[in-house]
Amino acid sequence: MVKDFFKYQAQTSPNPLAMSVSHAKGSYIYDTDQKPHLDFVAGVSALTLGHQHPSVSKAIKDQVDKYTHVMVYGEYIQDPAVEFCRLLAENLPDPLNKTYMVNSGTEATEGALKLAKRVTGRSQLISCFNAYHGNTMGSMSVMGFEERKRAYRPLLPDVDFITFNNEEDLLKITEKTAGIILETIQGGAGFIQPFDGFLTKVKERCEQVGALMILDEIQPGFGRTGKLFGFQNYQVVPDIVVMGKGMGGGMPCGAFTASDKHMDTLYNNPGFGHITTFGGHPVIAAASLAVLKELVHTDIMAQTLEKEKLFRELLVHPLISEIRGIGLMLAPMTLSSEITNKVILKCKEKGLILFWLLFEGKAIRITPPLTISEQEIRQGCQLILEALNEVQQELGL
């Protein structure tokens, strides 16, 4: 199977981790030798409730027994999608009340960028340096990392960039700007939070010039920061919210939400402003609804902040300079990318899954399922500390 993996399946990097998976349950992934691997990554922030959560699995199985795909998005009334969009609207601030369901986070980004242009009649888009919003052509155009995108130019024209948390740069948002897209918390850049009311100041500037504020909640969304969406921690309401990853509990998903006034511009003059065959797929929508119900009807989001405290209490080591992030979106920063690489690979051998961030080489990604237990946190942190001690000794630090 390993040979076939490399021979027949397209690769995304020169050295994939290439673990052969047998099954997964709760906070663990089991390889084909039946070795358990404690999962501190959750499919890169996607498995909100862990692997094979009973509510999500039941919702998927029940829906498969009723029907799967029946019609292109937006034409037939399908209960799982309608119920998800309604419950989402009930848990979002006004005027965020209408949702367009798609297949992935990057497709949701594409839809949000189009919506900003459609509503304003403008062409300019603004993003942040070191931003990541997906990897399709429009999303790549607002990626703030030239090294990753120069091979695919030309991309969208009329895109400018600012520095996250730099208030002076907000003057770049003008009457020519259709929208500015920001990650609520910069992910690939190192789990950088906004400070000094930065997001509020962005929204104020947008209102001054008639631009739309788009917040990318693909990673922070669905409880990972202790709130349903990360922006709810920062006293701001965007014009458009982009979501994905944790929304589907392990199923491929995405959506963008705006006011009905804005969203309704997509269906007329011209019609079919954004279309998708499989967006809002009933099985995916059923899984997403199960995740959302679990989050809003239990205290799991509040527990996330308590679990953050435990991580910060346990992960104290001379090779860790700081821990960035909030809730269960955490990035311990080591003193060098070499240390980070060694720790992640050592932990892999010890049965703990960690991962890298896209642009910040010193960061260790810790984004476990929100359902992870205190015992599992302690177990995983002990393995990280063991790996750090080994690296410290090897490098003579």
Side-chain angles (χ1 to χ4, degrees), residues 72-89:
V72 65
Y73 182 75
E75 293 296 326
Y76 284 4
I77 300 169
Q78 301 174 61
D79 286 352
V82 174
E83 290 185 30
F84 172 79
C85 292
R86 176 189 56 77
L87 185 58
L88 185 63

Side-chain angles (χ1 to χ4, degrees), residues 14-259:
N15 299 294
L17 293 174
M19 180 172 75
S20 295
V21 177
S22 167
H23 63 286
K25 184 75 173 178
S27 300
Y28 289 88
I29 299 174
Y30 297 80
D31 64 25
T32 48
D33 293 326
Q34 303 308 307
K35 177 182 176 179
H37 299 258
L38 179 57
D39 189 358
F40 268 21
V41 176
V44 188
S45 305
L47 290 141
T48 303
L49 303 179
H51 301 276
Q52 306 301 318
H53 188 278
S55 297
V56 177
S57 295
K58 182 177 187 302
I60 292 168
K61 293 171 184 176
D62 287 350
Q63 185 57 45
V64 166
D65 287 340
K66 294 176 183 177
Y67 61 89
T68 58
H69 179 65
V70 291
M71 176 54 71
V72 65
Y73 182 75
E75 293 296 326
Y76 284 4
I77 300 169
Q78 301 174 61
D79 286 352
V82 174
E83 290 185 30
F84 172 79
C85 292
R86 176 189 56 77
L87 185 58
L88 185 63
E90 290 174 355
N91 286 277
L92 281 170
D94 291 332
L96 299 169
N97 61 6
K98 186 165 282 191
T99 296
Y100 197 120
M101 302 181 73
V102 291
N103 305 285
S104 65
T106 192
E107 187 183 335
T109 298
E110 299 281 348
L113 298 178
K114 288 168 63 179
L115 181 58
K117 290 187 173 186
R118 180 68 181 85
V119 169
T120 64
R122 303 172 183 177
S123 63
Q124 186 193 49
L125 298 168
I126 294 178
S127 183
C128 287
F129 294 111
N130 293 326
Y132 181 79
H133 299 286
N135 223 39
T136 48
M137 297 298 277
S139 300
M140 184 176 281
S141 300
V142 292
M143 180 197 299
F145 199 79
E146 183 62 25
E147 179 183 333
R148 296 283 178 88
K149 64 184 185 179
R150 66 167 58 102
Y152 305 100
R153 289 192 176 279
L155 297 169
L156 288 182
D158 207 6
V159 177
D160 201 358
F161 292 88
I162 67 171
T163 299
F164 196 74
N165 279 325
N166 187 330
E167 186 177 344
E168 293 180 2
D169 277 2
L170 299 186
L171 293 177
K172 287 188 175 183
I173 307 171
T174 70
E175 287 80 3
K176 296 180 180 180
T177 306
I180 176 169
I181 182 167
L182 311 97
E183 298 157 278
T184 303
I185 299 171
Q186 280 205 304
F191 290 1
I192 300 172
Q193 294 189 69
F195 58 75
D196 291 339
F198 179 68
L199 295 182
T200 301
K201 292 169 184 175
V202 172
K203 182 64 183 296
E204 290 172 352
R205 179 61 180 170
C206 285
E207 290 176 342
Q208 289 172 7
V209 300
L212 297 191
M213 180 187 190
I214 306 166
L215 283 183
D216 178 343
E217 288 277 348
I218 294 171
Q219 284 206 73
F222 292 91
R224 189 154 291 280
T225 68
K227 301 283 188 181
L228 187 59
F229 289 99
F231 72 80
Q232 293 171 310
N233 292 291
Y234 305 110
Q235 294 75 53
V236 67
V237 179
D239 297 292
I240 308 172
V241 181
V242 174
M243 61 198 80
K245 285 191 183 293
M247 165 182 160
M251 300 294 279
C253 62
F256 58 105
T257 300
S259 68

